Amino acid sequence: MSTEQVSDRAARHKRAMQRKKDHVDSRIARATIDKGLLVILTGNGKGKSSSAFGMIARSVGHGLRCGVVQFIKGTWECGEHLLFKDHPLVEFHVMATGFTWETQDRDTDIAAAERTWSAAEKLLQDESIAVVLLDELTYMLTYGYLDKARVVAALQQRPAHQHVIITGRNASRELIDLADTVSEVKDIRHAFDAGIKVQKGIDY
Ligand code: ATP
Ligand code: MG
């Protein structure tokens, strides 16, 4: 490439970057609304709960009070529970009797889901809680363990500045319609399919 071609390319790149910056700046200037968000992380790929706990870590870093409710207790003790369970800024609830894929007792699971949802409802009424994470909540709705209308009402009636993050596969239409931000994590490949066992720090 000649020196002229190089400088022409640099000038084109500079103009393109300036246009991009103008576009981004005008969008930033238009975003003036400040409100509590409902964020949904759904889909079959890995990264929903870990992303949600990333937002809890960010919030705690800013000194914000957070509430976490985990609707499915996994087999392994998660690092996020170990990190946040005794944190002064985090109120952490895990479904007590532990809904796991192994229980297979619908009545026990429904009772546990309802008890856990009561803890979630308290957080959703608490003005002092800035961020509420409802981890794996979607399953409680797809299995019919919790009443959709009750869940939607609590989300709608929460304090106006409170952010809520919901994770889990197959988020229902009612939740998606209510949300401000919805991301679907797509499964392209997972190490588990290659026979690799769960890894501390990455999976739990
Ligand atoms: P993570 O907690 O790692 O962000 P997730 O919340 O997106 O995962 P879940 O369906 O809640 O996904 O599953 C939690 C556990 O299952 C994690 O150990 C995760 O690595 C694993 N997992 C997630 N997606 C898949 C998948 N597509 N195939 C196999 N295992 C998966
Ligand atoms: Mg998860």
Side-chain angles (χ1 to χ4, degrees), residues 136-181:
E136 320 297 349
L137 174 70
T138 60
Y139 303 100
M140 302 300 110
L141 300 178
T142 37
Y143 297 150
Y145 287 2
L146 291 176
D147 179 41
K148 276 183 190 162
R150 185 178 167 193
V151 170
V152 166
L155 292 170
Q156 282 174 325
Q157 289 156 23
R158 76 188 193 274
H161 61 270
Q162 188 181 69
H163 301 303
V164 176
I165 309 158
I166 293 175
T167 77
R169 296 179 189 201
N170 303 309
S172 58
R173 178 48 52 194
E174 290 86 345
L175 290 181
I176 289 176
D177 287 347
L178 213 58
D180 300 282
T181 297

Side-chain angles (χ1 to χ4, degrees), residues 77-87 92:
E77 171 65 303
C78 312
E80 54 267 35
H81 186 240
L82 294 170
L83 179 64
F84 290 125
K85 68 180 166 45
D86 300 318
H87 196 288
F92 209 119

Side-chain angles (χ1 to χ4, degrees), residues 101-112:
W101 309 114
E102 286 92 41
T103 59
Q104 294 173 13
D105 180 340
R106 197 174 154 80
D107 290 341
T108 315
D109 288 343
I110 290 175

Side-chain angles (χ1 to χ4, degrees), residues 41-53 76 80 101 135-136 139 167-169 185-193 198-199 202-204:
L41 301 166
T42 192
N44 294 337
K46 173 193 161 43
K48 301 173 292 293
S49 297
S50 40
S51 163
F53 278 101
W76 297 277
E80 54 267 35
W101 309 114
D135 193 34
E136 320 297 349
Y139 303 100
T167 77
R169 296 179 189 201
V185 184
K186 187 178 163 194
D187 181 31
I188 291 179
R189 181 181 303 140
H190 195 288
F192 185 66
D193 300 329
V198 289
Q199 300 292 314
I202 297 297
D203 293 305
Y204 70 97

